[in-house]
Amino acid sequence: YQRYKMVEDLIGLIRDGRRLRILDVGGHPGLIAEFLPEDDTLILDTLPPEGRNYVQGDGARLPFKDASFDLVVSVDTLEHIPSGQKLGFLEEQLRASRDYVLLAAPFEDEDVSLAEQIVNEFFIKKIGHPNDSLEEHFAHGLPSLDETLSFFDENGVQHLEVPNGYLYNWLVMMMATPAVQALPDSEELVAMLNRFYNQNLYVSDNRRPCYRMVILASKQHSLDRDLIIGKYEKVKADVPVDAKLKLADL
């Protein structure tokens, strides 16, 4: 929810009433379709297909012609790409899009790295095994935000960045969720925990310090920075610091 709700919100600000053709690279199992039911969404992932509108393939070698999509999305995928292939991955996103690229990922940062190490150690101690996704982050290294932004600059593509996943909320939820899942007959409890987050914490989640940055880039349009970034700055200012947020900050 944290990742794809932000994708839904940002696309809502740029769609201008259009039905969009969207490619989600690394989007297994296809959650984007639930957030963008009015658009034509296609999933590409290295994992075997699940359901309709799904292609198995490599994000660094997309099997599509140039400018095949209005928007190419990748959410928490770049950090799973080996260091030597990250640039090629970005080049393919830009090539396959006729206009927009929306890229979300955790980037190199001391606090983000420490938070990931804490979560992984929690998995080992509490769950009995490391977190496979985080182990892959450690193996490939988190991408550099400066290098990623320089890529768009060098290609003459306008971009802006929005924080997503308030780091303290992310850390608490990444530890609480697997701990609850380990309990017997916990499906409904897990659903309640996620519903509490969705209803109460997400509204204040798009601020620093953040777990991931979301980069919105456009080949053809001048992005309304004041509208888009101002939307999240306003939400942060309007949310009262009540007991729920104080708890989330612990």
Side-chain angles (χ1 to χ4, degrees), residues 44 56-57 65:
L44 180 136
Q56 188 171 14
K65 296 179 180 179

Side-chain angles (χ1 to χ4, degrees), residues 78 86 90 103-109 112 141-153 159-163 208 210-216:
L78 183 61
K86 283 182 168 62
L90 294 173
L103 171 70
F107 290 92
E108 289 178 351
D109 177 86
V112 169
L142 295 181
S144 163
L145 180 61
D146 288 342
E147 291 178 3
T148 304
L149 298 180
S150 293
F151 164 80
F152 289 110
D153 289 336
H159 59 83
L160 55 80
E161 303 77 53
V162 181
R208 294 178 175 85
C210 58
Y211 176 67
R212 70 179 62 78
M213 292 295 294
V214 183
I215 302 170
L216 176 63

